[in-house]
Amino acid sequence: MSQVQSGPVLSGPVPSEILLVPRGEAGHFLPAALGWLGKRVTVTAQPGPANHVLCLPVLDFVRLGFPEANGRLGLLEPGDAENLRAGRAALLLDLSNEGPGLHAPTFEALHRNLEDRGIPRERVILVTQNRLLRLDYERLYGEGLRFWTFEFFPLQVALWLDDAEGPRLFPQHPLDRTGYAPFARAAGPARFLCQNAALRWHRVLLYRWFQLSGLDRDGLISFHGIGEDNPKAGGIDVFHAPPEIEAAFGPLLADVGSWIPRRARRIDADQGTDMVMTLDTQAYAECDLTVISETDFFEPGVERITEKSIKAAATGLPFVTVGAPRAVARLSELGFETFGGLIDHHYDLVSDPAERLPLVFRSIERAWAACRDDRARWHRLAREQAEANVAHARRGLLPQYERVMVAPLVERLNRFMETGAILH
């Protein structure tokens, strides 16, 4: 057995020792996070007769429906299914790196694989970033799997940003925070920042809207394009939009072949950063507003934010979020200021993406006009909230994650260890 005890203890005494039993190799996000946070966890391959949690790394949600390794369940070892049936074990499917919506074929494949092994659904916990997945699952299937929420990459960034912890994660690109402050560039015209990573439909539409609105001349905009230098360019076929996107945004996509970049448009080519696993503080320091291009937009039934929002909020700039519904509300729940007096966030509660995206465009347009037309006034009105967000990222965000996400999950694990009950 190996004890995992690194990192700070952020909460009170933990009454139980949590036995985590990993199966498979890469992708054990949740055990790593609990170790970083100094929780009382023992990782072992041989738990003996005690209650224990079998941890299966999912990595990508769709793998649960693949025939390979029987949808990840093939990673279980002899005796695991018997311990699950006997109530000595819980099976934790670690998807804390993703937040998909409900995909019925994947869940039906998972159900079949569980049934083939005689594993009761109520012994299985799916850990995901998406808060809505449980509701959609129960609407379709009723009681069955347990759903817990855990956000691995946002928590990782919170650890990375925290003053007490320092930039000890992402060691290949240490975080440079020396002297950073929002609105440090006093001279020159106003400028906004919009960083885009993997190719997704809302990013294609956003990029084209910037072009047609003339805003591309005013911003630092990254866009990875569809060329060979974008390893994720094959995520969508930009020449064949889904019918619902074509119907709502056909004019924006017209003649896409003439304007879609064939090579990645990078704003950080000389900085040695990758815009995903790093934070380019220099780019934020040169800007007055940021447009957060999140992972999710058009997929229904998703409520989450990723590390992209956390990093942007932590820099202190006012922001408009191009993301799933309640992305702005989630940042508020985590303790960040959302610049309600400067930014119109009414789009945040609109569930229909075809209605939400025009509202996002309008919010960007209005915010940018106010910033560009009187930059000094923009700074004056935003500075207090901006500085509060920078301070919160360094001293308050990690404790807030502990309160709202980590401590409740540890309590559920403790309850299982003590009683065998698996709570929602």
Side-chain angles (χ1 to χ4, degrees):
M1 294 188 180
S2 62
Q3 294 286 338
V4 181
Q5 292 285 353
S6 61
V9 177
L10 297 175
S11 58
V14 177
S16 302
E17 176 188 47
I18 300 167
L19 292 181
L20 300 182
V21 182
R23 298 293 187 237
E25 299 299 328
H28 289 287
F29 297 104
L30 188 60
L34 295 177
W36 290 334
L37 293 166
K39 301 305 177 184
R40 189 174 167 186
V41 169
T42 295
V43 178
T44 177
Q46 302 296 329
N51 288 345
H52 56 279
V53 179
L54 296 160
C55 295
L56 267 186
V58 176
L59 295 173
D60 300 298
F61 175 65
V62 292
R63 294 192 189 197
L64 291 173
F66 284 179
E68 295 86 43
N70 295 107
R72 309 300 285 166
L73 297 188
L75 298 175
L76 294 175
E77 296 184 1
D80 287 342
E82 180 182 348
N83 284 329
L84 287 163
R85 288 191 293 270
R88 290 188 295 272
L91 176 59
L92 189 150
L93 303 176
D94 190 350
L95 194 68
S96 58
N97 61 310
E98 284 191 358
L102 188 137
H103 183 248
T106 296
F107 277 106
E108 286 156 13
L110 174 59
H111 291 163
R112 287 194 300 272
N113 285 326
L114 291 171
E115 186 175 357
D116 288 346
R117 286 160 178 75
I119 299 173
R121 294 182 193 178
E122 62 269 17
R123 306 304 300 175
V124 181
I125 307 158
L126 183 62
V127 178
T128 172
Q129 295 183 18
N130 181 13
R131 296 158 171 265
L132 298 183
L133 191 54
R134 173 192 172 187
L135 299 177
D136 286 342
Y137 176 89
E138 291 182 350
R139 194 175 298 120
L140 192 61
Y141 300 110
E143 278 285 334
L145 305 179
R146 301 318 193 219
F147 289 84
W148 294 356
T149 301
F150 199 84
E151 301 170 340
F152 175 79
F153 286 114
L155 177 67
Q156 191 178 35
V157 170
L159 273 159
W160 181 43
L161 291 166
D162 191 76
D163 271 348
E165 290 303 294
R168 62 188 180 90
L169 304 176
F170 307 142
Q172 70 276 30
H173 296 298
L175 171 63
D176 179 11
R177 295 179 296 192
T178 305
Y180 175 81
F183 311 134
R185 183 179 61 93
R191 188 178 291 159
F192 71 86
L193 176 68
C194 181
Q195 302 192 74
N196 299 272
L199 199 64
R200 296 182 182 271
W201 280 112
H202 62 285
R203 292 171 180 155
V204 173
L205 293 166
L206 177 63
Y207 181 81
R208 183 55 171 164
W209 181 79
F210 280 144
Q211 287 183 320
L212 294 177
S213 303
L215 270 68
D216 57 328
R217 297 187 297 269
D218 299 327
L220 296 178
I221 301 170
S222 68
F223 187 76
H224 280 202
I226 61 172
E228 293 181 356
D229 59 343
N230 180 7
K232 296 185 178 182
I236 62 173
D237 179 1
V238 297
F239 300 100
H240 298 89
E244 63 276 13
I245 293 179
E246 178 65 34
F249 304 106
L252 275 178
L253 294 171
D255 199 22
V256 63
S258 68
W259 54 263
I260 194 80
R262 261 55 179 193
R263 290 186 59 80
R265 177 176 175 177
R266 299 285 297 269
I267 65 173
D268 61 347
D270 300 324
Q271 301 301 317
T273 59
D274 62 10
M275 296 192 303
V276 178
M277 299 296 282
T278 63
L279 177 58
D280 185 355
T281 52
Q282 179 178 337
Y284 284 99
E286 294 176 356
C287 293
D288 312 282
L289 169 73
T290 183
V291 177
I292 303 172
S293 176
E294 258 291 359
T295 297
D296 307 293
F297 193 90
F298 284 104
E299 185 176 10
V302 172
E303 184 180 305
R304 68 156 178 163
I305 56 173
T306 71
E307 74 284 351
K308 301 171 188 65
S309 290
I310 300 297
K311 290 190 292 185
T315 65
L317 297 187
F319 57 84
V320 177
T321 302
V322 191
R326 295 198 79 254
V328 178
R330 179 62 179 150
L331 284 172
S332 179
E333 291 164 2
L334 290 173
F336 286 108
E337 301 286 342
T338 59
F339 302 93
L342 287 176
I343 308 287
D344 179 2
H345 290 303
H346 284 109
Y347 61 84
D348 194 48
L349 299 179
V350 177
S351 59
D352 184 346
E355 296 179 19
R356 188 165 69 256
L357 191 55
L359 294 177
V360 170
F361 290 160
R362 189 181 309 164
S363 178
I364 296 171
E365 203 166 36
R366 290 175 175 175
W368 180 237
C371 177
R372 181 194 56 215
D373 294 347
D374 193 339
R375 187 164 173 257
R377 180 176 183 272
W378 178 267
H379 286 192
R380 186 170 66 253
L381 294 176
R383 188 172 300 279
E384 183 176 349
Q385 292 182 75
E387 292 175 350
N389 279 351
V390 172
H392 179 66
R394 295 181 175 182
R395 293 183 288 277
L397 179 60
L398 189 56
Q400 180 69 355
Y401 263 121
E402 166 71 17
R403 287 188 291 270
V404 304
M405 184 181 75
V406 180
L409 182 137
V410 170
E411 175 57 31
R412 292 187 189 101
L413 289 171
N414 284 333
R415 182 72 64 88
F416 166 72
M417 293 301 302
E418 293 170 356
T419 68
I422 304 175
L423 305 178
H424 272 304

